[in-house]
Amino acid sequence: MALVPMRLLLDHAAENGYGIPAFNVNNLEQIQAIMKAAAETDSPVILQASRGARNYAGENFLRHLILAAVETYPQIPIVMHQDHGNAPSTCYSAMKNNFTSVMMDGSLEADAKTPASFEYNVNVTREVVNVAHSLGVSVEGELGCLGSLETGAGEAEDGHGFEGTLDHSQLLTDPDQAVDFVEATQVDALAVAIGTSHGAYKFTRKPTGEILAISRIEEIHRRLPNTHLVMHGSSSVPEDLLALINQYGGAIPETYGVPVEEIQKGIKSGVRKVNIDTDNRLAITAAVREALASNPKEFDPRHFLKPSIKYMQKVCAERYQQFGTAGNASKIKQVNLEDFAAKYAKGELNMITKSAAKV
């Protein structure tokens, strides 16, 4: 089978009450780890790449690595998703490179640093939706800026993130604006700001409602029960991985991620896509440090890359189980982009917002 649109997976997840982890990828080992975990748990897959990942791996290398995953695991529906597209041009280049889903992050301007106006966000997102849907490609939008409710600061990832500090009104998605945004853009999924941020240093203490606003997801879901919500910056930053890294020469200070049980609450309130990158980076780093320390004379890269696949696979399999994704890959009938383009053209996939929001 070919790659599938993300909307196919999100619709199935919504119908069956589960979430899907979206794992960032940069290289062969990461893709192998994710696919091994997906095959082990019978889980559908969202492989996503940032602009930085596309530059690092190279467009052709990354595309063929993911196509190799499709060829190797034809029974598993796989989405190739552009993470945090900073401008329509980034999304269009992704579509040319076989991405079946793109994120137009209009919460920031094209410099990926300056918070954008609501009107700007609507305009650029709607532009991408119109083009993408004509090709059957799914679109994720974002409303509100990712950043810490503790400090008001953001955490840039691959050069994407606001500079300085923002107040709570900009760091939390407004439910009324969310209704208007989805109605105006017809995005397939909406990333919401609730206090999560990129990287390992999300919270200085175990997060409570003051700094992780899961209740805001619940409120938005009440207004938009038919919209697929997305949680960004949702790595849990496992303590055992931090300890292992530091045991073998690392220097990561005490930090806290998003507890799995909080993500599970979000899934019960309409979250269908959960972005995870840091947890896998930590797993790889822990494995590499441990392997290098165990045999300092070893110079074959495979000596430490093989354990990195194993450690990351474990993290991915756990998230598939914890989010209810496991057991669903074989239940999804794979559909191609052309069929989805026809559905969009007929209005069969329009997001119903206004009438639901009045309930």
Side-chain angles (χ1 to χ4, degrees):
M1 289 297 294
L3 292 160
V4 301
M6 187 167 72
R7 179 68 181 271
L8 174 69
L9 302 194
L10 300 187
D11 282 351
H12 189 270
E15 292 167 4
N16 295 277
Y18 65 92
I20 305 174
F23 297 117
N24 286 74
V25 296
N26 301 269
N27 59 27
L28 168 66
E29 287 75 21
Q30 289 177 313
I31 293 173
Q32 286 183 325
I34 293 165
M35 296 311 304
K36 286 175 180 289
E40 171 191 344
T41 60
D42 185 30
S43 298
V45 170
I46 300 175
L47 300 175
Q48 57 184 25
S50 64
R51 287 182 296 138
R54 291 170 65 187
N55 289 332
Y56 171 80
E59 297 283 8
N60 293 333
F61 286 102
L62 187 61
R63 179 176 70 252
H64 283 285
L65 284 172
I66 293 176
L67 291 176
V70 174
E71 182 179 341
T72 306
Y73 299 93
Q75 78 279 15
I76 297 177
I78 302 174
V79 171
M80 186 176 176
H81 176 72
Q82 165 68 59
D83 191 24
H84 286 291
N86 64 310
S89 59
T90 299
C91 296
Y92 300 151
S93 68
M95 295 178 213
K96 290 180 180 178
N97 279 281
N98 292 95
F99 283 73
T100 57
S101 178
V102 296
M103 179 188 187
M104 178 60 242
D105 184 358
S107 68
L108 302 176
E109 294 183 5
D111 64 4
K113 297 178 181 178
T114 306
S117 68
F118 178 79
E119 291 73 23
Y120 170 89
N121 195 352
V122 166
N123 288 337
V124 294
T125 305
R126 181 166 51 203
E127 176 188 333
V128 170
V129 167
N130 289 339
V131 174
H133 284 183
S134 70
L135 301 172
V137 173
S138 309
V139 180
E140 174 186 341
E142 180 169 317
L143 187 60
C145 296
L146 293 180
S148 170
L149 293 177
E150 285 187 280
T151 65
E155 178 71 26
E157 182 175 51
D158 287 338
H160 194 103
F162 69 84
E163 296 181 336
T165 59
L166 300 175
D167 60 35
H168 277 203
S169 65
Q170 294 169 292
L171 294 172
L172 291 172
T173 301
D174 180 273
D176 291 330
Q177 280 194 335
V179 174
D180 293 338
F181 184 81
V182 174
E183 176 72 19
T185 63
Q186 285 296 302
V187 288
D188 299 285
L190 177 65
V192 295
I194 59 169
T196 59
S197 58
H198 294 135
Y201 309 108
K202 303 181 189 300
F203 309 106
T204 61
R205 55 191 167 91
K206 187 173 181 179
T208 64
E210 296 177 359
I211 56 177
L212 178 60
I214 295 296
S215 60
R216 184 57 60 101
I217 291 177
E218 297 168 354
E219 187 176 355
I220 294 169
H221 183 55
R222 282 196 295 270
R223 302 293 304 279
L224 291 168
N226 300 310
T227 296
H228 304 311
L229 303 182
V230 181
M231 284 179 64
H232 280 240
S234 294
S235 284
S236 298
V237 190
E239 292 181 9
D240 60 331
L241 293 178
L242 295 179
L244 195 59
I245 290 170
N246 290 341
Q247 177 184 342
Y248 290 104
I252 299 179
E254 183 178 55
T255 181
Y256 294 86
V258 182
V260 169
E261 57 268 24
E262 295 298 319
I263 298 173
Q264 291 169 333
K265 290 179 184 177
I267 291 171
K268 291 180 180 178
S269 294
V271 170
R272 300 299 160 220
K273 177 174 176 278
V274 183
N275 283 20
I276 294 173
D277 188 9
T278 295
D279 284 352
N280 289 332
R281 294 184 183 190
L282 293 172
I284 290 170
T285 300
V288 169
R289 283 187 173 276
E290 183 182 45
L292 288 173
S294 68
N295 189 354
K297 295 182 179 180
E298 182 61 66
F299 59 86
D300 185 344
R302 291 173 295 183
H303 170 69
F304 51 85
L305 290 176
K306 285 182 179 179
S308 77
I309 296 172
K310 180 180 177 182
Y311 280 35
M312 181 171 158
Q313 179 183 345
K314 181 176 182 294
V315 171
C316 295
E318 287 175 350
R319 298 298 177 269
Y320 283 134
Q321 295 286 358
Q322 292 161 338
F323 299 168
T325 325
N328 282 289
S330 57
K331 299 176 183 177
I332 298 172
K333 180 181 178 181
Q334 298 189 37
V335 181
N336 61 33
L337 294 183
E338 290 76 14
D339 288 341
F340 260 71
K343 289 177 179 290
Y344 285 122
K346 295 176 183 177
E348 295 177 8
L349 299 175
N350 287 352
M351 285 293 181
I352 302 173
T353 57
K354 291 294 186 181
S355 58
K358 295 177 181 178
V359 176

